[in-house]
């Protein structure tokens, strides 16, 4: 079997698997560098969905050249390819330089020799600070810092580590509840979205605890118990209970595990700490405790708003009943004296439309109670940057996406999304941009035709997601260019679908090619097959021109089959045949524009219809003539009989006159 | 009386004109007895043709008359030259050759009447056949070009010869488009 070689350099060995290097969504196998065979490499083949973090791909790819000493696994090459000569799905293949050592922890529940403080500082904190400083400059984050994603850089010394892959899955997708800050942990993994460096610093803090202890002391807790413990005690207290660290380490871990994102240590404070500067620790404010608990879901020990918001998230069905009662406002007023949130509840009432559902009310209330937390919508929770992934995941899993339709239409979502964004970035331009985005999303979802609906919202919210059309998903189309090639490949196969378009492809093109004519999409909704096919053809021809693709023979063949309706709309059989011959010639050239010109010829069609009208008139005339002729012969007497008799009279007359004349002449001459 | 009532039936002579004609003929016969005898005997085939010809146009009578006249006129001329005497008249009529000439000329008229229409019909039929063939050919050419877009015609398909029976529905074409036109 022929081997796949990427970039004429990296030879893939997909059968030589390396399970110990697998990530959550990608499997690892051996790769050989043909230019430098001694360099140990491995490849990670990701899935089409959950899709890798393509938006930070270029930044990470540039790092080995710019920062060769960075303790981050070296990304050598990325390709969107098959590994087994088109036997498998096309997807992103990340080729990394293989770490010299093993994973620091095989998994989060593994036991290792506890690290010393010096090891932690030299081997973990310093390299991670360097990485995060570079990441901050690039405005990206790792979101996969955890001991089982760290590798020893040198197995013999076991002093320093390299951080593993952070690209082969969506942002924060693989992060364990233990290592995620509370809001991030409350979020459905697929809906976490991109986050700031502070999430990485939190993960670093938890990693330090795990490495100092050499094991996970909280492994017996379920994820729900763990998050509840973090909410009730605060992350630091929850994760360090029973641990005895030095004061310096305690100071570090306390700073990194502050639950408030604003108060958590930043890179600057961490660098100062490394430098030996004593940090002034801002004591995190404990959540205000109510004088009386609020009863919800058979619990009567809920004293804080965080506990309440967590319970509401955990039991969305019971919560919908709860929000319809006035208990919350009374509790906030009487037990917590929280006038700010009471005002916010009033604001919520003004935002909510008259026909607002309980889910919308719940979304607003949870956001009021827990501003930093994810948006809660029915059984899903997501950050603003993770909404697109969340919808796409529901769509792929076959879960109903109608709930997201209502969500995107709701004014509550945009209000709190913008509010949440304002908290993170005080830039008014970005807020305006967000408002415009949500307005566009509402317009997109209201448009039910091709190029609209929930599909368009997915691609608007998440521009790096591949086209999720079931027809071309295995081609992992990351650009419109890829979509065209995927459809072309599909067109060359026998088992292709009926049409080379569906709602996903249309939405993907509409989002990624905003300048394309909208009339194509309107025509795609037409019930007339000819109009629909011509709209597809002209759209793909337009895209072929834009991307300067020379040959799309597969798509041309596909359209040749589809154009049978159009060819048959010509009534003249000879014109049809001539057209078919011309189309076959155009297919060989693979030029969709030539095909479009042949098929979308209104003048020829009008001439054909006119010709048919004339032909029908002529047939009617012929039929009448034939009918007349046949009818004549059905009569008793032929129409020529009378003519014949008249002719006989004339002949008799002529003959008699001739004879008499001859007689007279003979007589005259004889005389 | 209405104007219609005043109109005489076509082809029927009035009793007055018939009487006038008979009187005139009788006067001619009285003064030109020999000539009248030759005409009467010589034109017997014409008289028979007039009696038997049921055609309104009287083509048979005309044909027989013209040819018969052509055979009789030479003998009238002979009789006229002989002074229109009874003896010369009888002399002419007594000769069987003369009678044969007069009657044979009438037979020629009969022959013309029978043969010329047949030839005419034959020619017309041939012309119609060619026309039918051309029309059918044109129809099939059109069908070849336009296929089922043109309605099929059982009449044209079936009438390979002019004696094909005309289908009843041929009067009302099935195609709605044709019906519309």
């Amino acid at each position: 079997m022929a081997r796949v070689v990427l970039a004429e350099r990296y030879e893939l060995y997909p059968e030589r698997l390396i399970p110990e290097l697998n990530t959550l969504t990608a499997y690892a196998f051996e790769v050989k560098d043909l230019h430098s065979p001694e360099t140990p490499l491995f490849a990670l083949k990701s899935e089409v969905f959950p899709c890798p973090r393509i938006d930070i791909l270029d930044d990470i790819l540039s790092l080995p050249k710019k920062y060769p000493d960075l303790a981050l696994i070296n990304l050598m090459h990325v390709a969107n390819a098959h590994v087994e000569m088109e036997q498998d799905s096309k997807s992103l293949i990340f080729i990394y330089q293989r770490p010299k050592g093993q994973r620091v922890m095989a998994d989060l529940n593994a036991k290792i020799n506890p690290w010393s403080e010096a090891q932690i500082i030299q081997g973990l904190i310093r390299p991670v600070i360097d990485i995060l400083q570079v990441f901050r400059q690039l405005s990206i984050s790792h979101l996969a810092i955890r001991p089982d994603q760290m590798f020893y850089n040198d197995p013999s010394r076991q002093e320093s580590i390299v951080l593993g892959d952070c690209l082969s899955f969506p942002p924060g997708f693989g992060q364990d509840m233990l290592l995620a800050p509370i809001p991030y942990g409350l979020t459905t993994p697929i809906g976490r979205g991109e986050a700031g460096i502070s999430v990485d610093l939190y993960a670093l803090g938890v990693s330090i605890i795990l490495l100092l202890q050499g094991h996970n002391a909280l492994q017996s807790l379920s994820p729900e118990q763990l998050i509840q413990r973090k909410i009730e005690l605060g992350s630091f207290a929850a994760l360090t209970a029973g641990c005895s660290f030095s004061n310096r380490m305690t100071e570090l871990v306390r700073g990194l595990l502050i639950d408030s994102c604003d108060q958590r240590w930043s890179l600057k404070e961490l660098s100062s700490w490394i430098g030996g500067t004593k940090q002034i620790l801002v004591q995190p404010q404990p959540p205000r405790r109510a004088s009386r608990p609020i009863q919800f879901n058979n619990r009567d020990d809920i004293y804080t708003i965080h506990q309440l918001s967590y319970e509401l998230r955990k039991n969305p069905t019971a919560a919908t009943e709860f929000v319809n009662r006035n208990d919350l406002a009374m509790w906030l007023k009487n037990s917590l004296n929280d006038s700010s949130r009471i005002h916010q509840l009033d604001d919520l009432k003004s935002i909510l439309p008259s026909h607002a559902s309980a889910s919308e009310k719940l979304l607003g209330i949870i956001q009021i109670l827990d501003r930093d937390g994810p948006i809660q919508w029915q059984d899903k929770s997501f950050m603003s940057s993770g909404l697109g992934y969340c919808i796409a995941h529901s769509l792929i899993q076959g879960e109903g996406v109608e709930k997201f339709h209502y969500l995107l239409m709701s004014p509550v979502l945009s209000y709190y999304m913008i509010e949440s964004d304002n908290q993170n970035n005080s830039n008014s331009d970005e807020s305006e941009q967000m408002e415009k985005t949500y307005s566009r999303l509402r317009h997109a979802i209201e448009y039910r035709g091709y190029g609209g609906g929930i599909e368009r919202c997915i691609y608007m919210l998440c521009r790096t997601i591949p086209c999720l059309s079931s027809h071309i998903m295995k081609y992992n189309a990351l650009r419109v260019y890829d979509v065209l090639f995927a459809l072309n490949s599909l067109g060359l196969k026998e088992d292709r679908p009926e049409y080379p378009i569906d709602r996903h492809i249309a939405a993907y093109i509409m989002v990624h090619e905003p300048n394309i004519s909208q009339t194509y999409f309107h025509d795609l909704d037409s019930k007339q097959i000819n109009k629909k096919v011509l709209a597809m053809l002209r759209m793909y021809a337009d895209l072929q021109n834009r991307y300067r693709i020379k040959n799309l023979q597969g798509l041309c063949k596909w359209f040749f089959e589809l154009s049978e309706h159009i060819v048959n709309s010509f009534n003249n059989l000879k014109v049809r045949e001539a057209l078919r011959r011309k189309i076959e010639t155009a297919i060989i050239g693979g030029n969709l524009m030539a095909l479009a010109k042949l098929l979308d010829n209104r003048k020829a069609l009008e001439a054909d219809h006119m010709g048919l009208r004339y032909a029908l008139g002529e047939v009617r005339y012929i039929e009448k003539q034939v009918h007349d002729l046949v009818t004549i012969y059905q009569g008793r007497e032929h129409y020529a009989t009378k003519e014949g008799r008249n002719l006989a009279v004339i002949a008799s007359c002529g003959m008699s006159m001739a004879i008499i004349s001859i007689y007279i002449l003979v007589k005259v001459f004889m005389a | 009386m209405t104007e219609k009532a005043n109109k005489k039936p076509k082809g029927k002579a009035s009793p007055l004109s018939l009487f006038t004609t008979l009187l005139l003929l009788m006067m001619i016969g009285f003064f030109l007895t020999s000539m009248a005898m030759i005409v009467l005997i010589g034109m017997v085939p014409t008289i028979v043709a007039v009696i038997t010809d049921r055609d309104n146009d009287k083509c048979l009578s005309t044909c027989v008359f013209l040819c018969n006249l052509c055979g009789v006129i030479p003998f009238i001329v002979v009789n006229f030259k002989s002074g229109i005497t009874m003896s010369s008249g009888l002399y002419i009529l007594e000769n069987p050759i003369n009678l044969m000439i007069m009657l044979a000329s009438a037979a020629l008229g009969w022959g013309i009447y029978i043969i010329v229409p047949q030839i005419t019909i034959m020619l017309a039929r041939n012309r119609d056949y060619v026309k039918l063939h051309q029309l059918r050919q044109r129809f099939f050419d059109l069908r070849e070009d336009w296929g089922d877009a043109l309605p099929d015609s059982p009449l044209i398909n079936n009438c390979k010869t002019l004696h094909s029976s005309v289908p009843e529905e041929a009067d009302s074409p099935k195609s709605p488009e044709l019906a519309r036109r």
Side-chain angles (χ1 to χ4, degrees), chain A residues 483-512:
Chain A
V483 170
L484 288 176
F485 270 102
L487 290 171
N488 190 54
S489 304
L490 212 54
L492 292 168
K493 293 180 178 173
E494 291 299 319
D495 57 339
R496 57 188 171 221
E498 189 181 4
Y499 293 114
I501 200 155
D502 61 8
R503 293 186 60 83
H504 272 287
I505 297 173
Y508 192 85
I509 291 170
M510 200 167 199
V511 171
H512 291 272

Side-chain angles (χ1 to χ4, degrees), chain A residues 235-295:
Chain A
S235 292
F236 175 72
L239 299 176
T240 58
C243 302
S244 55
F245 303 139
S246 66
N247 287 342
R248 192 152 185 251
M249 277 295 146
T250 307
E251 182 192 16
L252 169 69
V253 172
R254 188 191 292 273
L256 291 174
L257 296 185
I258 294 173
D259 286 322
S260 167
C261 198
D262 303 331
Q263 293 173 356
R264 191 177 302 147
W265 276 14
S266 66
L267 275 176
K268 188 182 165 188
E269 283 149 334
L270 187 60
S271 303
S272 304
W273 180 87
I274 286 276
T277 313
K278 179 88 176 164
Q279 298 298 309
I280 302 161
L281 255 181
V282 180
Q283 285 298 324
Q285 291 288 320
R288 198 189 294 177
R289 196 176 165 84
S291 56
R292 279 183 302 168
I294 187 166
Q295 283 195 335

Side-chain angles (χ1 to χ4, degrees), chain A residues 91-105:
Chain A
S91 64
L92 283 185
I93 300 168
F94 301 94
I95 296 175
Y96 286 109
Q97 195 169 351
R98 197 167 172 173
K100 290 169 187 162
Q102 298 294 312
R103 284 181 197 272
V104 171
M105 285 177 90

